[in-house]
Amino acid sequence: MALGLLTQADGYGIIVGLSVLFCLIIIAAVRIQKRYLSEDSDQSEMFMVANRSVKTGLTASAVFSSWMWINESVFSAAYTYKWGIALPIWWASGLSFQIALMAVLGIVAKLRVPYAHTSLEIMRMRYGNYVHWLFILLNLVNNIFGCGSMILAGAQLVTGMTGMHVVAASILIPAGVVTYTAVGGLKATFLTDFLHTTIALILLIYFSLAVLTNEHIGGLSGLYEKVKATNDYIPGNYEGSLLTMKSKSSVLFGLVLKFGNLALVLMDTAFWQKSFASEVHSTVPAYSIVSVVILAIPWCTGTIIGLSARAIEKTPVWFDYPNTLTTTQVNSGLVMPYVLRSLLGTGATTGLLVLIFMAITSTVSSSMIAVSSIISLDFFRTYVNPRASNRQILKVSHWGVVFHGCFMAGFAIMLQYAGATNNWSTYFRPIIACPGILPMILTLLWSRQTKLAAILGPVLGLFSGLATWLSLSWYWSGAINIQTTQLQVPGLYGAIVSFFSPALYSVIISLAWPHRFDWREFLRIDLIEDNSRLNSSLQSRLASSEAVNEIAGPENGSEKGAYLTTGEKGSPTPSPPRAQLNPQVSLDEVVHPFDEETIKHIKKWFKIASIYFVVNVLVTIVLWPLPLYRDWIFTKSFFNGWVSMAIIWHFGAMFSVVVYPIYDGRHEIAKAVRGVFKELRGGK
């Protein structure tokens, strides 16, 4: 264990210090929002969905931050060290299309369920309590394993770098997040996500460029020549080379990652909430931007850092020379810390610790809001106190944040002592989380999916996936244990069955016992506030049946669809009367809350999002990596262009999710600054 990289004091100081700093920043930001921008996190709609008013730039930054797990930087470098230059591309392609799909579903939800707070709320409205309970369980399992494995991976990294006890790291990492998330709600996570993203991207580009230009690496050409000179043989790669795209292990890992990441997005209410929280014209652009720029993290950082480790590992400049990295150290993500300590010194290694904290806390904060929303809305408001006031719901949400933080710390510690590795979690999580994906998608897109199909589809899919995974693990290894169940091929087949079989079960059951759902039922989901609030949505003159029955290609030939639009700046209009959403009102009398201009608007964005999703899948999964999967090793010129493009992509990410959000929110920033200075001058 690399106890000499940093001291325990460095670890405790950074984790505790940054937790306190971010808490103070959020407390100040919440006060400014409430005082000068009329954004009150003491209101449930603001706490959970940020009054559905977050703009494109900040939405993109928040989604990017939530999706920039520590895996995408630190662990992509470690796995590049294991399998070579093919791994970052397959990793990157496993991050993009999920976000593009979320753009499609987000824009549909803006139309059909305009006042939803969680994705589970949608399931209950359509199918009732039993399906609601099932999907609560599926969402919580996905959230717990995703968040828990992230906390544990970060804690193990901190332990490996500083010698801090893993239990202490597992407790302190979520502790600070609990405080600022409970205070500020979802908008607070948007703001901290922006700060996290800014600092993390600056650190990552510095690490990549500083390592690449270091005298012991020698730039692009030097890196290529040193990697070629290592003569390290990688089983499953063409000629055992680190510089080929024909890598069997990379492809299999990338395919499993795609299913696992799809579950992490669609079965995590945090990504749905960011969609609900964004302004209507912001949803598709924000998610589409992220799906493009997220490629930069594993592509740039993973390639440069992972290959640099191979280049210097057997030279005197290596921090632990003459010892090389063990398999345990590589799987724990210690490749990047060793490279930075060897080439850039203690300061850069301390910066990496800051980066690890940023990446973990950003993901954990989103998870906390998502789970607290499930507790307060999908459990407390639904089954305990249906008449709960805004303040009661907010109080339960706060306690939900605290409970989730404490539970996740304990769960991460349990995983540590149970011996579950990050690698095992990578293959297990898709199998248990994927069965609910397609039934949830069909809930928004197919009116003929029945209640029975929504129940049996995920359950049968889960059992089918588990049976496939365990039986193939036994078939290929002769035993079922922690080691045999993290083999790549059984994990991949198990994930495929878990993902696709529920759709097959659902369609068969739905067609056998048919029923058609009326989309107007979704309009019964109401706002939480009992008092009127400022809102930029406009009331429709169209009957809701015209507005929501179809999006594109209507069965009855009429143009249908609707979309939330925003009012002019500075002139918000009241939200529609609550009577329109009263469950006692006949469906024929329910009126969709948005104006007729929203119909054209949503059709346009839905078409754009759908086309972009198809293009994204074709490019990132087919046209980009597959033509390079052949008996070929990168030439020096191709390698130089490849890495240069990755660096350019990284700068593009910085512009898209750091610079653009500031420009997009310039009016609100200026308004808040003017308010603060005006009050300061008045107080003199």
Side-chain angles (χ1 to χ4, degrees), residues 431-676:
I431 296 170
I432 60 170
C434 280
I437 294 176
L438 289 177
M440 179 171 282
I441 293 175
L442 293 176
T443 297
L444 277 176
L445 299 181
W446 192 39
S447 63
R448 298 180 65 182
Q449 180 170 256
T450 63
K451 176 180 178 179
L452 184 62
I455 294 175
L456 293 182
V459 173
L460 294 175
L462 174 61
F463 287 136
S464 299
L466 287 172
T468 303
W469 176 50
L470 295 176
S471 61
L472 290 180
S473 297
W474 177 84
Y475 177 79
W476 269 302
S477 59
I480 297 177
N481 51 47
I482 286 288
Q483 285 70 39
T484 62
T485 52
Q486 55 185 311
L487 298 176
Q488 286 186 317
V489 176
L492 175 59
Y493 285 145
I496 291 173
V497 172
S498 284
F499 177 74
F500 287 106
S501 64
L504 178 63
Y505 296 136
S506 177
V507 170
I508 292 174
I509 295 171
S510 296
L511 295 180
W513 296 277
H515 172 75
R516 187 179 294 274
F517 178 73
D518 192 324
W519 298 116
R520 292 174 293 174
E521 291 282 357
F522 278 149
L523 296 180
R524 297 189 190 276
I525 294 181
D526 206 350
L527 294 174
I528 295 174
E529 278 77 13
D530 295 327
N531 59 321
S532 62
R533 64 179 179 84
L534 293 180
N535 187 291
S536 58
S537 62
L538 302 175
Q539 185 172 346
S540 176
R541 297 187 182 91
L542 300 179
S544 61
S545 58
E546 273 191 55
V548 301
N549 277 347
E550 295 295 336
I551 297 173
E555 294 176 6
N556 59 2
S558 61
E559 286 190 352
K560 297 173 182 178
Y563 189 88
L564 177 62
T565 57
T566 57
E568 296 299 322
K569 286 177 185 174
S571 58
T573 59
S575 60
R578 290 173 59 87
Q580 294 175 355
L581 304 176
N582 192 320
Q584 304 301 322
V585 176
S586 167
L587 284 178
D588 293 330
E589 299 176 20
V590 172
V591 178
H592 197 283
F594 309 138
D595 73 345
E596 53 191 285
E597 284 299 315
T598 63
I599 299 174
K600 295 179 181 178
H601 205 49
I602 194 171
K603 289 185 69 175
K604 180 189 75 172
W605 280 118
F606 177 76
K607 289 179 181 177
I608 292 173
S610 301
I611 293 172
Y612 173 70
F613 170 69
V614 174
V615 171
N616 182 285
V617 170
L618 290 176
V619 171
T620 61
I621 300 178
V622 181
L623 299 180
W624 188 19
L626 288 185
L628 293 172
Y629 189 83
R630 53 195 175 93
D631 296 343
W632 183 68
I633 297 173
F634 279 28
T635 63
K636 182 187 292 187
S637 59
F638 189 88
F639 176 84
N640 291 350
W642 185 263
V643 179
S644 298
M645 195 64 195
I647 295 171
I648 293 171
W649 214 274
H650 195 122
F651 278 105
M654 291 185 64
F655 174 82
S656 300
V657 297
V658 175
V659 178
Y660 176 62
I662 296 175
Y663 172 80
D664 195 35
R666 63 193 183 282
H667 298 297
E668 287 75 12
I669 295 173
K671 182 179 178 181
V673 171
R674 284 196 301 268
V676 172

Side-chain angles (χ1 to χ4, degrees), residues 257-296:
L257 191 71
K258 287 172 175 56
F259 289 106
N261 285 347
L262 191 61
L264 286 174
V265 173
L266 296 186
M267 296 303 291
D268 184 352
T269 55
F271 284 93
W272 289 88
Q273 280 181 283
K274 285 180 169 60
S275 172
F276 298 149
S278 63
E279 288 184 343
V280 256
H281 63 269
S282 300
T283 304
V284 174
Y287 278 77
S288 299
I289 288 171
V290 174
S291 71
V292 173
V293 300
I294 193 64
L295 301 171

Side-chain angles (χ1 to χ4, degrees), residues 50-65:
N51 275 352
R52 310 170 197 273
S53 60
V54 184
K55 291 191 174 182
T56 303
L58 192 56
T59 300
S61 180
V63 173
F64 184 92
S65 181

Side-chain angles (χ1 to χ4, degrees), residues 6-17:
L6 294 171
T7 66
Q8 286 194 37
D10 294 325
Y12 283 106
I14 288 174
I15 292 177
V16 176

Side-chain angles (χ1 to χ4, degrees), residues 240-321:
S241 174
L242 288 161
L243 299 171
T244 180
M245 285 292 290
K246 191 171 185 178
S247 170
K248 179 181 178 181
S249 296
S250 297
V251 173
L252 291 176
F253 180 84
L255 292 174
V256 173
L257 191 71
K258 287 172 175 56
F259 289 106
N261 285 347
L262 191 61
L264 286 174
V265 173
L266 296 186
M267 296 303 291
D268 184 352
T269 55
F271 284 93
W272 289 88
Q273 280 181 283
K274 285 180 169 60
S275 172
F276 298 149
S278 63
E279 288 184 343
V280 256
H281 63 269
S282 300
T283 304
V284 174
Y287 278 77
S288 299
I289 288 171
V290 174
S291 71
V292 173
V293 300
I294 193 64
L295 301 171
I297 305 304
W299 187 14
C300 179
T301 305
T303 300
I304 293 174
I305 303 298
L307 294 181
S308 293
R310 287 283 186 177
I312 65 171
E313 184 183 30
K314 298 174 183 177
T315 67
V317 72
W318 186 247
F319 175 72
D320 201 26
Y321 183 80

Side-chain angles (χ1 to χ4, degrees), residues 40-330:
D40 187 1
S41 290
D42 288 335
Q43 299 293 319
S44 297
E45 288 285 328
M46 187 66 196
F47 186 87
M48 295 175 192
V49 290
N51 275 352
R52 310 170 197 273
S53 60
V54 184
K55 291 191 174 182
T56 303
L58 192 56
T59 300
S61 180
V63 173
F64 184 92
S65 181
S66 297
W67 202 217
M68 192 181 69
W69 288 33
I70 197 65
N71 296 18
E72 274 67 78
S73 51
V74 176
F75 281 93
S76 68
Y79 281 66
T80 301
Y81 171 92
K82 288 174 66 174
W83 296 321
I85 200 169
L87 186 279
I89 298 309
W90 283 102
W91 197 309
S93 69
L95 298 173
S96 182
F97 79 94
Q98 298 91 339
I99 303 298
L101 177 58
M102 193 65 239
V104 177
L105 299 177
I107 205 65
V108 174
K110 287 286 188 183
L111 160 70
R112 288 184 169 160
V113 206
Y115 290 144
H117 305 87
T118 70
S119 55
L120 301 174
E121 197 175 21
I122 299 173
M123 304 303 293
R124 179 177 180 270
M125 178 59 69
R126 178 160 177 179
Y127 303 115
N129 292 346
Y130 292 119
V131 175
H132 189 224
W133 298 339
L134 173 62
F135 275 81
I136 285 178
L137 179 61
L138 292 174
N139 271 259
L140 288 177
V141 168
N142 175 69
N143 202 297
I144 288 169
F145 272 94
C147 187
S149 62
M150 166 67 80
I151 293 174
L152 178 60
Q156 290 175 339
L157 267 171
V158 171
T159 299
M161 294 172 65
T162 68
M164 179 192 297
H165 198 285
V166 67
V167 172
S170 298
I171 293 173
L172 290 175
I173 286 173
V177 190
V178 168
T179 306
Y180 73 69
T181 304
V183 170
L186 187 62
K187 190 64 176 282
T189 70
F190 275 78
L191 297 173
T192 53
D193 284 347
F194 174 74
L195 293 176
H196 290 164
T197 300
T198 302
I199 297 171
L201 285 178
I202 291 173
L203 286 173
L204 283 174
I205 196 63
Y206 164 70
F207 293 154
S208 298
L209 294 180
V211 166
L212 188 62
T213 57
N214 187 274
E215 60 179 339
H216 298 290
I217 297 298
L220 294 171
S221 298
L223 178 60
Y224 178 84
E225 291 167 358
K226 287 179 173 60
V227 172
K228 287 273 287 188
T230 62
N231 291 321
D232 290 331
Y233 185 86
I234 311 300
N237 285 19
Y238 173 65
E239 294 187 355
S241 174
L242 288 161
L243 299 171
T244 180
M245 285 292 290
K246 191 171 185 178
S247 170
K248 179 181 178 181
S249 296
S250 297
V251 173
L252 291 176
F253 180 84
L255 292 174
V256 173
L257 191 71
K258 287 172 175 56
F259 289 106
N261 285 347
L262 191 61
L264 286 174
V265 173
L266 296 186
M267 296 303 291
D268 184 352
T269 55
F271 284 93
W272 289 88
Q273 280 181 283
K274 285 180 169 60
S275 172
F276 298 149
S278 63
E279 288 184 343
V280 256
H281 63 269
S282 300
T283 304
V284 174
Y287 278 77
S288 299
I289 288 171
V290 174
S291 71
V292 173
V293 300
I294 193 64
L295 301 171
I297 305 304
W299 187 14
C300 179
T301 305
T303 300
I304 293 174
I305 303 298
L307 294 181
S308 293
R310 287 283 186 177
I312 65 171
E313 184 183 30
K314 298 174 183 177
T315 67
V317 72
W318 186 247
F319 175 72
D320 201 26
Y321 183 80
N323 299 318
T324 59
L325 289 168
T326 65
T327 301
T328 301
Q329 288 175 321
V330 173

